[in-house]
Amino acid sequence: MKEGVLACDLGASTGRIMFVSIKNNILKLEEIYRFKNEPYEEYGKLKWDLKKIISNIEKGIVLASKKNKILSMGIDSWGVDYGWLDKKDLLLQDPYCYRDERVNSVIEEVHTILSKEYLFKETGNIFFKFNTLYQLYYDLKKDKNIIENGKQVLFIPDLIGFHFSGNKVTEYSIASTSGLMDQRKRVFNLEIMKKLNILDNIFPKLVEPEN
């Protein structure tokens, strides 16, 4: 039985589980399981089926464990998207997909508060209408369920990691896609968040990738 780690690589159209091992100083990657990952529509909004994603990851873990000893698992995904937890740390609703057009109604409003030039200078993120900051601004302004019941935000890989480990953190490299990070200090830019009425406590502890 080989020893190694699992790499869970989630894309915005497919996901795959890879078994990674080292033998004689040679790194070997073996694809264990691949699955489709597509958003679904609910009341005119595009969302990710998180239960389905997790179920497919679990299938990959089971398949990998039949002939390998799994030491740990790493999770990566597309950027910017996230899920909301309620006060009991339960998923409030399926995460919105970055392809959803709900944020179109608030982009101009955001830029009356903070210019594109200022945001790029502070965060290093170029303008995309699906950046996390626009999504969060919309959520906290127009989504009644989130306004009333949302307590914390986890980016997609952090959300899945929380499901499997119970460890609730915000990993830096995925957070850097949000448009909310201070590119110089590698922390959340509290000035940007304050101006957009995004509370600084909605994100769990920020950690580096190795943690």
Side-chain angles (χ1 to χ4, degrees):
M1 181 173 282
K2 294 179 292 185
E3 285 190 350
V5 299
L6 286 186
C8 175
D9 177 24
L10 297 175
S13 58
T14 61
R16 59 180 180 165
I17 307 297
M18 306 290 293
F19 183 74
V20 185
S21 58
I22 298 177
K23 185 175 182 180
N24 299 325
N25 291 322
I26 297 175
L27 184 70
K28 182 178 179 181
L29 281 76
E30 177 186 356
E31 183 177 302
I32 301 296
Y33 183 61
R34 183 183 289 265
F35 56 93
K36 287 185 178 180
N37 182 40
E38 298 173 342
Y40 70 94
E41 187 172 331
E42 181 182 59
Y43 304 116
K45 306 293 185 184
L46 284 180
K47 294 186 174 183
W48 297 107
D49 189 337
L50 193 70
K51 287 183 179 179
K52 186 176 181 181
I53 293 172
I54 289 174
S55 177
N56 275 303
I57 294 172
E58 290 172 342
K59 288 179 184 178
I61 293 172
V62 170
L63 288 172
S65 64
K66 288 182 177 180
K67 57 180 180 178
N68 304 294
K69 183 177 180 180
I70 301 170
L71 302 177
S72 65
M73 179 173 72
I75 304 161
D76 185 32
S77 82
W78 66 96
V80 310
D81 287 346
Y82 54 85
W84 278 96
L85 302 180
D86 65 15
K87 63 182 180 181
K88 295 182 179 180
D89 281 346
L90 300 176
L91 186 66
L92 188 61
Q93 60 189 34
D94 269 339
Y96 284 112
C97 173
Y98 67 91
R99 299 172 192 164
D100 182 72
E101 297 185 353
R102 74 194 192 286
V103 298
N104 291 351
S105 63
V106 299
I107 290 176
E108 185 176 342
E109 186 174 337
V110 168
H111 289 304
T112 63
I113 303 169
L114 299 167
S115 69
K116 292 179 183 179
E117 292 76 15
Y118 172 81
L119 288 171
F120 177 72
K121 178 182 176 182
E122 293 297 312
T123 70
N125 291 106
I126 63 174
F127 167 74
F128 289 110
K129 68 177 184 179
F130 49 69
N131 284 352
T132 307
L133 70 93
Y134 304 109
Q135 295 197 54
L136 283 176
Y137 185 81
Y138 175 94
D139 290 352
L140 294 169
K141 196 174 183 67
K142 299 194 176 186
D143 192 310
K144 184 178 180 181
N145 187 30
I146 290 173
I147 292 169
E148 294 180 353
N149 302 301
K151 297 300 178 184
Q152 272 196 314
V153 166
L154 285 173
F155 292 100
I156 296 298
D158 298 327
L159 190 60
I160 295 170
F162 177 53
H163 169 82
F164 283 105
S165 70
N167 190 23
K168 189 169 59 169
V169 296
T170 303
E171 189 271 321
Y172 172 76
S173 64
I174 192 68
S176 70
T177 70
S178 68
L180 292 169
M181 301 294 294
D182 186 317
Q183 66 169 321
R184 303 173 187 86
K185 298 179 181 178
R186 295 173 67 89
V187 296
F188 282 106
N189 189 308
L190 300 184
E191 186 66 21
I192 290 175
M193 295 174 70
K194 181 180 178 181
K195 289 182 177 180
L196 297 178
N197 293 318
I198 300 171
L199 298 178
D200 59 0
N201 62 358
I202 68 169
F203 293 104
K205 178 184 176 183
L206 186 67
V207 301
E208 292 293 332
E210 65 269 19
N211 295 323

